[in-house]
Amino acid sequence: MILDTAQSVSFAPQVKEFFLARQPILDRNQNLIAYELLFRRTGAGLATTVDDSRAAATLVAHMLELGLENVIGGVPGFFNVDSTILMGDLVNFLPCKKVVFELHQTDKISPELVQRVSGMVDAGYRFALDDVITLSEYIKPLLPLIKIVKIDTSVMTRTDLAILARQFKQAHKLLLAEKVETIEQFQNCLDLGFDYYQGYYFAKPAILSGKKLTTSQLAVMQLIALIARDADNAEIERSIKKEVSLCLSLLRLVNTTGMGVTKSIDSLSEALVVLGRNQLQRWLQIQLYIAPHINAHFASPLLLLATTRGKLLELIARKLKPANKSIADTAFTVGILSLLDALFGQTMEKILGQIVLGKDVSEALLYRRGFYGDLLKLSECIEKSSEASRALAPLLLKLELPVEDLYPLQLEAFEWSNSLLPFVH
């Protein structure tokens, strides 16, 4: 889409100053239902969330230029906007079914703003109230037009949170808990009736004593071990045949148009040749995150986070060390395996005792050490809130990666991760 507006032209140059934060929003069953999108800039040794109208307009204009689905896939995107942006024309170019506009409760709520929001609601747009910590008289004129209330759970006691949740539930609002970083916080908000959750609690390992891997996960781990010791195709084929779901998924994968095959591939032996060892290993690593009962209508946030990490680390490694392809392949492995502790409910030490990995990979996964450890720390900084991203600028400097190079690599990683979904269900 080409925007015939002076706004998009004047804001476009700012893009080079930023990297993009894409924070998942989950429902009560921990399915991904949306992303919040934020531009951030690095400076003075830390990353800061940019909430001025100029940056907000930059984000909206650039999302239009890129195509929303390339960044957020099939789910809606939440955008922070202020009254200046909302009163302009740029937001009208965003499709109403793909966006939720967030208004901060401290924004000036004028009669003109209420009228503008009312008109947009009539046109099908949805609005959320952001960073709410109290139900004040100030926001009441806007409240009938608000669909979702985002409550900052990090600054409230459980008692105050329960009171506020009850007040907004009585006003028939959907509740979104922000900054949920632990399983305990999630469970607390779940008990209080919150509808949606934003934060990285789902990526934190809840270590469960005696938890065992599923039959499918064990089969995949065994296959990864076979590849690591360079077993022949016949042995790998025999192992895959023991798991029917893996057979079907692999044959479906090699017969997709993107694989470039000219005839139907009906045998596993042919499929293994077409795919090759490197792609087979990547496919298996992705399969670890796919539960057999997964609902095809929803995306697993852990799967999307792991694949995005893996691809981003691969792209950065390829950018920094283009002469050695194996470094990029190893970086992908580090990124995608970095969430196995959250997936399996076991310590990373125990998991790494079950698979054969090189010292550099193990050091990165266990201690965030070395080149791959720095790449992993960089990805984790990008994902976290601005308060937790103080290490971002020093990491970019250490890796000799300009921030303007990071942004296009992020977009490529997002698009690649989103594109996997048709092939993992």
Side-chain angles (χ1 to χ4, degrees):
M1 178 183 292
I2 298 174
L3 300 179
D4 184 18
T5 170
Q7 274 186 301
S8 63
V9 175
S10 64
F11 294 130
Q14 268 204 321
V15 169
K16 290 184 178 181
E17 302 173 20
F18 303 108
F19 65 96
L20 183 62
R22 186 178 80 160
Q23 295 191 349
I25 296 173
L26 314 183
D27 65 10
R28 292 176 61 86
N29 295 315
Q30 302 192 63
N31 296 309
L32 179 76
I33 55 94
Y35 283 111
E36 180 173 7
L37 297 175
L38 292 165
F39 264 160
R40 290 178 178 154
R41 71 159 63 96
T42 58
L46 53 90
T48 57
T49 302
V50 181
D51 56 8
D52 56 89
S53 61
R54 186 175 180 82
T58 304
L59 177 57
V60 173
H62 207 59
M63 289 303 102
L64 286 167
E65 181 184 342
L66 292 167
L68 270 175
E69 291 200 359
N70 291 332
V71 179
I72 59 176
V75 299
F78 279 56
F79 291 83
N80 276 279
V81 293
D82 62 11
S83 56
T84 303
I85 295 304
L86 206 57
M87 299 302 287
D89 295 329
L90 197 58
V91 290
N92 294 327
F93 288 94
L94 289 166
C96 62
K97 292 183 178 180
K98 295 293 294 179
V99 299
V100 177
F101 292 123
E102 296 184 21
L103 295 169
H104 199 278
Q105 68 166 351
T106 59
D107 289 342
K108 182 180 179 182
I109 301 177
S110 64
E112 292 78 16
L113 178 63
V114 174
Q115 185 178 2
R116 171 62 165 161
V117 172
S118 178
M120 293 186 71
V121 169
D122 290 342
Y125 286 95
R126 292 165 292 175
F127 286 84
L129 200 58
D130 193 19
D131 285 335
V132 174
I133 56 173
T134 182
L135 176 55
S136 67
E137 292 293 324
Y138 180 70
I139 63 174
K140 286 188 176 179
L142 200 58
L143 201 56
L145 304 170
I146 297 295
K147 185 176 182 68
I148 300 167
V149 175
K150 300 182 68 176
I151 297 178
D152 185 350
T153 60
S154 68
V155 297
M156 303 189 70
T157 65
R158 192 185 194 284
T159 300
D160 290 340
L161 193 60
I163 293 171
L164 195 59
R166 185 167 60 251
Q167 289 175 324
F168 281 113
K169 277 293 184 183
Q170 289 172 349
H172 307 294
K173 304 303 171 187
L174 295 171
L175 299 182
L176 192 160
E178 291 187 281
K179 301 178 182 177
V180 181
E181 298 299 329
T182 68
I183 297 295
E184 291 75 21
Q185 287 176 318
F186 167 71
Q187 188 59 56
N188 180 36
C189 292
L190 195 66
D191 294 342
L192 293 176
F194 277 77
D195 303 282
Y196 307 124
Y197 307 85
Q198 184 173 345
Y200 285 96
Y201 70 92
F202 67 89
K204 303 288 178 63
I207 307 302
L208 303 175
S209 177
K211 181 180 178 181
K212 298 185 182 299
L213 276 61
T214 66
T215 303
S216 178
Q217 288 170 334
L218 278 171
V220 173
M221 293 285 278
Q222 289 165 0
L223 281 163
I224 291 174
L226 285 176
I227 295 172
R229 66 176 176 84
D230 201 25
D232 60 37
N233 275 11
E235 187 176 0
I236 292 172
E237 182 181 345
R238 287 195 297 272
S239 187
I240 293 176
K241 283 180 176 177
K242 295 176 184 177
E243 193 68 28
V244 176
S245 61
L246 281 179
C247 291
L248 295 175
S249 296
L250 182 56
L251 288 171
R252 187 173 67 221
L253 174 67
V254 296
N255 283 293
T256 58
T257 54
M259 294 301 298
V261 295
T262 56
K263 65 182 183 69
S264 176
I265 303 296
D266 300 316
S267 72
L268 274 180
S269 58
E270 284 184 290
L272 292 176
V273 172
V274 169
L275 201 57
R277 288 298 175 94
N278 187 49
Q279 291 302 317
L280 175 62
Q281 185 179 43
R282 291 189 175 207
W283 177 75
L284 287 168
Q285 290 166 351
I286 292 169
Q287 292 298 310
L288 284 172
Y289 291 87
I290 302 169
H293 60 275
I294 193 167
N295 186 332
H297 297 291
F298 294 99
S300 158
L302 211 56
L303 168 66
L304 285 167
L305 185 59
T307 52
T308 301
R309 273 189 190 180
K311 192 62 177 179
L312 181 60
L313 265 61
E314 176 198 5
L315 293 170
I316 294 174
R318 188 187 301 164
K319 177 86 174 175
L320 297 176
K321 299 181 184 294
N324 193 334
K325 184 179 182 298
S326 66
I327 291 178
D329 292 336
T330 301
F332 180 90
T333 294
V334 169
I336 205 159
L337 297 186
S338 64
L339 291 164
L340 287 187
D341 51 355
L343 177 68
F344 293 162
Q346 297 180 1
T347 64
M348 188 63 77
E349 289 88 346
K350 184 174 182 179
I351 294 166
L352 295 188
Q354 302 173 59
I355 53 176
V356 180
L357 295 173
K359 181 180 178 182
D360 289 347
V361 175
S362 296
E363 291 275 303
L365 292 175
L366 289 171
Y367 312 115
R368 304 302 190 260
R369 291 178 186 163
F371 173 70
Y372 301 113
D374 286 339
L375 293 183
L376 184 52
K377 284 190 290 187
L378 179 66
S379 179
E380 290 171 332
C381 282
I382 291 169
E383 296 158 5
K384 292 178 181 177
S385 62
S386 58
E387 294 84 357
S389 300
R390 295 179 180 273
L392 182 62
L395 276 170
L396 290 172
L397 188 63
K398 182 179 180 181
L399 291 165
E400 298 182 356
L401 179 68
V403 68
E404 59 264 27
D405 289 348
L406 179 61
Y407 182 68
L409 300 181
Q410 282 187 274
L411 296 180
E412 188 174 345
F414 291 155
E415 187 172 1
W416 184 82
S417 179
N418 295 334
S419 73
L420 292 177
L421 292 183
F423 308 116
V424 298
H425 296 305

